[in-house]
Amino acid sequence: MIAVRLTFLGTGTSQGIPVIACNCAVCRSVDARDKRLRASVLLDVTHDARHVRLLIDAGPDFRQQMLCAQVTHLDGILLTHEHKDHTGGLDDVRALNYTSGRPVDIYAETRVHDALKREYAYAFEENKYPGVPEFNLCTIDQTPFSIHRIGITPVRVWHHTLPVLGFRIGNLAYITDASRIDDDEKKKLRGLAVLVLNVIRRTPHLSHFSLPEALALFNELKPQRLYLSHLSHQLEPHAQLAASLPPNVFPASDGLCVECNEA
Ligand SMILES: [Zn+2]
Ligand SMILES: [Zn+2]
Ligand SMILES: [Zn+2]
C-alpha cells in the first residue's frame, strides 16, 4: 500500500500573499489562511516498509518553509519548472548538505537543470568556493521513475507555452503552474483520491487555470477531492472562497495536511 501525506508549505502565487504594497481585502486579511508563501509541498510517502520525504519546488520561501515544517532531511527535491517562485530558495539547501554530508538530489528536466546552472553558476564551478550549495542533478522526463523504489509518474502540463511537470504518487497528484493539460496526459490523472491544481483567479489567465477551468477539470477527472493552490489576491479571502466552492473542492492553506492511501 502507498500512503501519501502532503503538507502544503506554500499556497500563494509568485508574489505570495500579502503582496508588497497592496492594500486589498485579501492582503489586509487577519485570517492566518490568507497568508500564503510561495507554492511548495512536502510529501511523506510510505510504501511497504519504505519511507521517503520529498519536496516539490523550492521557491524564495524555502528557508522559512523548512523551519516551519521542522524538516531535517529530504530524500530529494522535485522541480516542476524553472520559474523563480519555484527555484529561488535553492541556495539554502546548504543547511541540508551540512547535516546529511551529501548533495541534495534535484529531480528535474534538462531545461530546468540548465536554468539552475545559470542561476546558481557558483555552485557548478570547477573550483567551487567553500560552502556553496551542493546539488546532485537527477534528470527526469515524462517517463515514470522511482526514488528508493517508490514510483512517481510525471505528468506533462502547459504553462502557456512552457512545458511543466506535475507529479502523481499513488492516488495523489500535484499540478502547479498549468493552464492546459493534453488529453493523453489527462489519462494519468484518472482514479485520484486527491488532486491539487493551481488556480490564480476567477477570470481567464494566459498561463494559469482560472477557477471555472479548474472546476471543469474536477468534473471531468472526478478525483475524490480537489485542493486549489498557487492562489492570488485576485480571489476572495479564504473563508469566502471556501464557502463558494462545490462539495469536495477546497482552497489549500499553508500548513494544511492531506492524507491519501492506496490499497
Ligand atoms: Zn508559480
Ligand atoms: Zn492584495
Ligand atoms: Zn511558473
Side-chain angles (χ1 to χ4, degrees):
M1 187 185 91
I2 292 192
V4 187
R5 178 184 164 93
L6 177 151
T7 307
F8 288 96
L9 302 183
T11 58
T13 190
S14 59
Q15 300 193 77
I17 299 178
V19 174
I20 293 171
C22 184
N23 204 27
C24 80
V26 174
C27 290
R28 280 188 291 111
S29 167
V30 293
D31 186 336
R33 297 170 301 177
D34 286 313
K35 312 288 181 210
R36 301 186 188 277
L37 299 177
R38 266 58 72 90
S40 173
V41 290
L42 186 65
L43 298 174
D44 286 290
V45 187
T46 307
H47 189 196
D48 300 333
R50 302 186 299 280
H51 173 257
V52 292
R53 176 162 253 206
L54 303 170
L55 184 76
I56 303 183
D57 290 333
D61 300 314
F62 170 80
R63 173 180 173 275
Q64 192 178 341
Q65 290 165 330
M66 293 300 95
L67 291 171
C68 283
Q70 298 183 307
V71 173
T72 56
H73 165 83
L74 287 176
D75 293 296
I77 298 178
L78 315 183
L79 297 178
T80 57
H81 66 304
E82 63 270 46
H83 284 164
K84 266 288 163 55
D85 57 319
H86 298 261
T87 60
L90 282 170
D91 185 75
D92 283 315
V93 303
R94 286 176 292 138
L96 298 175
N97 295 150
Y98 185 75
T99 50
S100 69
R102 66 176 305 278
V104 173
D105 294 334
I106 309 279
Y107 294 84
E109 296 184 87
T110 304
R111 185 196 78 242
V112 178
H113 283 157
D114 289 344
L116 299 186
K117 289 175 189 168
R118 290 192 301 273
E119 299 295 329
Y120 296 95
Y122 55 92
F124 296 94
E125 282 171 0
E126 193 123 328
N127 296 309
K128 287 179 212 155
Y129 191 81
V132 299
E134 291 182 55
F135 306 126
N136 178 39
L137 302 184
C138 308
T139 306
I140 55 170
D141 51 25
Q142 280 164 259
T143 316
F145 64 101
S146 58
I147 298 177
H148 297 329
R149 290 186 291 133
I150 289 178
I152 301 170
T153 303
V155 182
R156 166 67 70 226
V157 299
W158 295 95
H159 190 22
H160 183 40
T161 55
L162 184 73
V164 168
L165 288 181
F167 298 101
R168 177 175 182 156
I169 303 181
N171 282 341
L172 179 145
Y174 180 81
I175 288 170
T176 191
D177 290 45
S179 51
R180 182 166 60 85
I181 308 175
D182 292 336
D183 286 341
D184 264 3
E185 292 298 288
K186 281 181 186 169
K187 290 178 191 157
K188 298 177 180 173
L189 300 171
R190 295 282 171 189
L192 290 169
V194 171
L195 173 63
V196 180
L197 283 180
N198 64 297
V199 164
I200 203 152
R201 63 188 188 196
R202 287 183 181 268
T203 51
H205 188 279
L206 196 62
S207 52
H208 290 276
F209 288 127
S210 65
L211 181 56
E213 288 167 339
L215 294 178
L217 267 178
F218 175 65
N219 289 327
E220 183 185 344
L221 301 172
K222 300 186 171 34
Q224 289 168 26
R225 287 173 285 161
L226 173 68
Y227 290 86
L228 311 177
S229 189
H230 210 288
L231 303 167
S232 89
H233 64 158
Q234 295 179 60
L235 287 155
E236 306 89 285
H238 187 101
Q240 215 177 312
L241 175 62
S244 78
L245 297 174
N248 302 314
V249 181
F250 312 94
S253 55
D254 292 17
L256 179 71
C257 277
V258 175
E259 301 208 2
C260 148
N261 299 317
E262 179 191 68

